[in-house]
Every structure is written in C-alpha cells, then in structure tokens.
Amino acid sequence: SPVAGAVSDKIHSRRIVLLVSYVCACVYMWFVFDAAGLGLAIYVPVVVLMGVACGAAGSMQWAICGEAVAPELQSGAMGVLAFAQNLGMFFGAAFFGAIVEGMGGDWAFASHAILLPIYVVVILIVVFNWKRLP
C-alpha cells in the first residue's frame, strides 16, 4: 500500500495504479489455485501479483474515494466504502465457499467462473469511468 501510494504520487495518477492492480488481480486469480502444481517458477510471480493486487487496489480505492467527492461528502463516502468493503468480505466468503462446494470443491474452476468475470467487470467500470476518476 505505501509503495502504491508513492507510485501514484510520482506518476500523478491514482487510476493508472488502480487499473494495473485490477489487471494483476485477474492474472493472480487465473493462476493462484494452480500455482502448487506448476512449481516454484510460477509461485513467486503469483505471490508478487497478489501483493500488488491486494495492496494497490485497496489503497487506491480509499485515496480515490477521498478525492472524488466534495469535502462535505467525504465522511459519508468513506463510511459507505468501509461498509461495502466489510459487507463484501462477510458475505463474499460464505457466498464463494458455497459456490466452490457446489462446483465439487474445485477452487480453480470456481475462481475462473466467478471471480475472474467480476474482476473483468470492475476493470471495464474503471475504463469506462476513466475521466471521472481523480
């Protein structure tokens, strides 16, 4: 997160770092559940992608949230972001666990079928709203 913030300050763009983090998340999600079978050559890049995706996406979302709204709306926007983030973590884990179980316990297949399309939609949302983001 601190590196993502430093990079975004250096290049003067939160949205580029956010987009790169979501692309890294897509690649990470594609390989994460197959990394053990593919050996150490893929394991290390997957761990690096996870660090970039998890660290940069969250920090850029919080930074953009604070910059995208008027000062008098910042506390409400931050509250909505915190609520949505925690709600997603609470229900998302149970929801995805049920999906994995329904798909025969195949984490890789469930990840490819559910998580990758979600990340692609998020990438499209960022791209289509490019000019509106700080």
Side-chain angles (χ1 to χ4, degrees), residues 12-24:
H12 305 291
S13 177
R14 308 259 188 256
R15 53 189 166 185
I16 291 173
V17 177
L18 184 66
L19 184 61
V20 168
S21 70
Y22 285 138
V23 170
C24 287

Side-chain angles (χ1 to χ4, degrees), residues 9 17-18 20 37-39 43 61 65-66 86-87 92-93 95 104 109 113 122 132-133:
D9 288 346
V17 177
L18 184 66
V20 168
L38 297 174
Y43 183 75
Q61 289 168 3
C65 182
N86 287 290
L87 190 68
F95 176 71
F109 180 63
V122 169
R132 300 166 94 187
L133 296 173

Side-chain angles (χ1 to χ4, degrees), residues 66-112:
E67 295 172 351
V69 298
E72 63 273 5
L73 299 175
Q74 285 180 351
S75 60
M78 292 290 188
V80 169
L81 180 59
F83 179 77
Q85 181 182 26
N86 287 290
L87 190 68
M89 287 188 290
F90 181 76
F91 286 114
F95 176 71
F96 189 66
I99 289 173
V100 170
E101 185 178 318
M103 293 183 167
D106 189 346
W107 284 84
F109 180 63
S111 172
H112 294 164

